[in-house]
Amino acid sequence: MDLETIESIDPHAGDLMVRVSYSCLACEASYAHNAAFHDVAAVLNRSGSVSGLLQFGGTYFHCGEAMTFAKSSTRSVYAPMTTEDVDDGLLDVYLKTRVIQCRCGFRMELPA
């Protein structure tokens, strides 16, 4: 995402909000929406963000729209070092996740 502008909006009750405009580097379309000022500041101060993905508060945006939940799954975090049936005494560990997706097909797993 390429951030274009952050503008003030008319006075209102509640959290301080700003209008954020940005363009998607993948589809080259421009988008704009209101966001809480502290969420925008957190995004701007963050390093190592995923390319093409914005997070405001608890919502993830890709292609200019909020991503939606697809399904939940449980995955094993233990991968055996061999294909032989070996009883090594280790207990299986599973991680429950939530999958979110964008209309373009981009998917991401979050811990549940």
Side-chain angles (χ1 to χ4, degrees):
M1 297 286 171
D2 187 22
L3 187 62
E4 295 172 2
T5 63
I6 300 174
E7 301 172 344
S8 61
I9 60 175
D10 293 333
H12 58 280
D15 288 343
L16 177 60
M17 302 288 286
V18 292
R19 182 85 177 156
V20 179
S21 300
Y22 55 96
S23 58
C24 176
L25 297 175
C27 68
E28 299 180 358
S30 294
Y31 304 95
H33 63 86
N34 293 346
F37 177 80
H38 59 84
D39 291 337
V40 174
V43 168
L44 294 176
N45 290 323
R46 176 173 65 202
S47 63
S49 62
V50 176
S51 177
L53 182 69
L54 287 176
Q55 178 188 6
F56 290 106
T59 305
Y60 290 86
F61 290 86
H62 191 263
C63 291
E65 63 183 41
M67 296 178 71
T68 58
F69 289 103
K71 63 178 182 176
S72 293
S73 62
T74 303
R75 300 194 186 270
S76 175
V77 296
Y78 172 72
M81 301 281 286
T82 179
T83 57
E84 297 176 18
D85 189 19
V86 178
D87 183 11
D88 54 14
L90 294 175
L91 299 175
D92 285 338
V93 177
Y94 292 92
L95 177 65
K96 187 171 177 91
T97 62
R98 296 179 296 158
V99 177
I100 58 176
Q101 65 186 12
C102 179
R103 65 181 160 85
C104 75
F106 177 79
R107 295 168 63 96
M108 186 169 100
E109 285 187 79
L110 302 172

